[in-house]
Amino acid sequence: MARNLILSGGPFHDFDATSAALAEVLAGVGVESEITEDIEGALSEPSEVQLITVNALRWRMPQERFAGLRDRWRFTLPAQARTTLLDHLDRGGGLLCMHAASICFDDWQGWPRVLGGCWTWPRSHHPPLGWTGVRVHGSHPIVEGLRDFDVVDEVYSDLDVLPDVRPLASAGGQPLVWARPVRRGRVLYDALGHDTRSYDNEVHRTLLQRAALWLLKRPVTVND
C-alpha cells in the first residue's frame, strides 16, 4: 500500500472534512493517508512517503483584510521544507495539490514553477460557491473516457498559469486540473475541492483516483 502525507489546515474551509474525504477517495486505490496541520514539522526531514498532498490554505497573509487571522494562520515555508518537497520530486515522488494549494507558500518563488501556476492577488478570484459544469479535455490517462460533470464548488479564475500547462479539465474557460512532470517526479493540481460535496461527485472521485495512480507511476486502471 502506498503512503500519502496530506498537509492540511487553514481558514475559510473545512479542511478536516475535505482531507478526510480525500483520504477516503484515495484509499479506494490502495493509498493510505496520514493527515497533519503541522506542515513545517512534517517537512522538517526527508520524506518517506510516495505521495505528498497539499490540501491547505497557508500563506503570508499580507493583505490588510486578513489582519485578524494572521496570528493563527500566517505562514512562511522554511528552507528545509522546500528542500524536502524538491527532494521528494527528485526521488520520483508524486505531489497532489488541491484547491487552495495555488494560494499557498507565496514566500517561495519556486512554488508556482513546481505547481504550474499560482493565485495572484488581486487579479485572481472566484465566483460564489455553487453549481458549475466541468468540461474534461484530451486523452491523458487521468481523464481518458471520463464524461463532463456538474459539481458544487468554487471556480478559481484568472490564475497565473505557466504557458506549457495543458488543462485536463476546465470550467467557463478557466483551467482547473493539470498534470505535469517535475524533476523525476510528477505533479497534479486540481482547483476543485472547496468542500466535501466536490468529493461526493463520482466522476471527480474517479479523476482523483486515477491521478493518484498516475502520480505513483502505476497503471491507471480505474474506470468511470
Side-chain angles (χ1 to χ4, degrees):
M1 180 172 282
R3 295 174 59 204
N4 175 35
L5 175 65
I6 300 180
L7 307 174
S8 187
F12 312 128
H13 302 73
D14 188 350
F15 285 111
D16 287 345
T18 56
S19 291
L22 179 58
E24 183 268 328
V25 170
L26 300 185
V29 288
V31 176
E32 180 181 13
S33 297
E34 174 189 352
I35 302 169
T36 181
E37 291 191 359
D38 182 11
I39 296 175
E40 181 175 354
L43 299 179
S44 63
E45 55 187 14
S47 168
E48 296 182 356
V49 299
Q50 293 77 48
L51 183 63
I52 295 176
T53 296
V54 180
N55 182 47
L57 178 53
R58 304 301 304 276
W59 83 110
R60 288 177 297 175
M61 308 188 85
Q63 299 81 8
E64 191 57 34
R65 57 180 158 152
F66 301 126
L69 299 172
R70 287 177 190 152
D71 286 347
R72 180 177 182 187
W73 295 116
R74 183 184 177 98
F75 183 80
T76 57
L77 191 69
Q80 179 56 54
R82 304 176 192 187
T83 298
T84 296
L85 288 172
L86 293 177
D87 286 350
H88 173 74
L89 291 169
D90 277 335
R91 292 196 303 273
L95 186 60
L96 174 60
C97 302
M98 299 299 303
H99 196 50
S102 58
I103 304 175
C104 287
F105 312 154
D106 60 330
D107 60 312
W108 181 16
Q109 291 184 348
W111 179 240
R113 294 194 294 274
V114 170
L115 189 67
C118 65
W119 181 284
T120 303
W121 305 89
R123 176 173 174 264
S124 301
H125 60 98
H126 65 76
L129 178 70
W131 283 102
T132 187
V134 177
R135 182 181 177 189
V136 177
H137 306 277
S139 59
H140 193 286
I142 292 174
V143 295
E144 184 177 11
L146 291 184
R147 64 183 185 274
D148 298 344
F149 60 98
D150 295 327
V151 67
V152 176
D153 218 313
E154 292 174 338
V155 177
Y156 278 13
S157 303
D158 294 326
L159 300 179
D160 187 2
V161 179
L162 295 186
D164 64 341
V165 164
R166 298 293 178 264
L168 305 182
S170 64
Q174 301 294 331
L176 294 181
V177 180
W178 60 77
R180 57 205 305 266
V182 177
R183 300 194 175 204
R184 294 185 177 88
R186 291 176 172 181
V187 175
L188 181 127
Y189 175 61
D190 179 353
L192 299 172
H194 174 79
D195 64 28
T196 57
R197 287 172 291 184
S198 187
Y199 295 98
D200 290 337
N201 181 280
E202 288 301 321
V203 181
H204 191 204
R205 291 169 66 91
T206 299
L207 186 155
L208 286 167
Q209 290 177 338
R210 290 184 177 189
L213 294 172
W214 181 81
L215 289 167
L216 294 166
K217 301 180 180 177
R218 296 182 176 180
V220 178
T221 57
V222 177
N223 296 319
D224 180 20

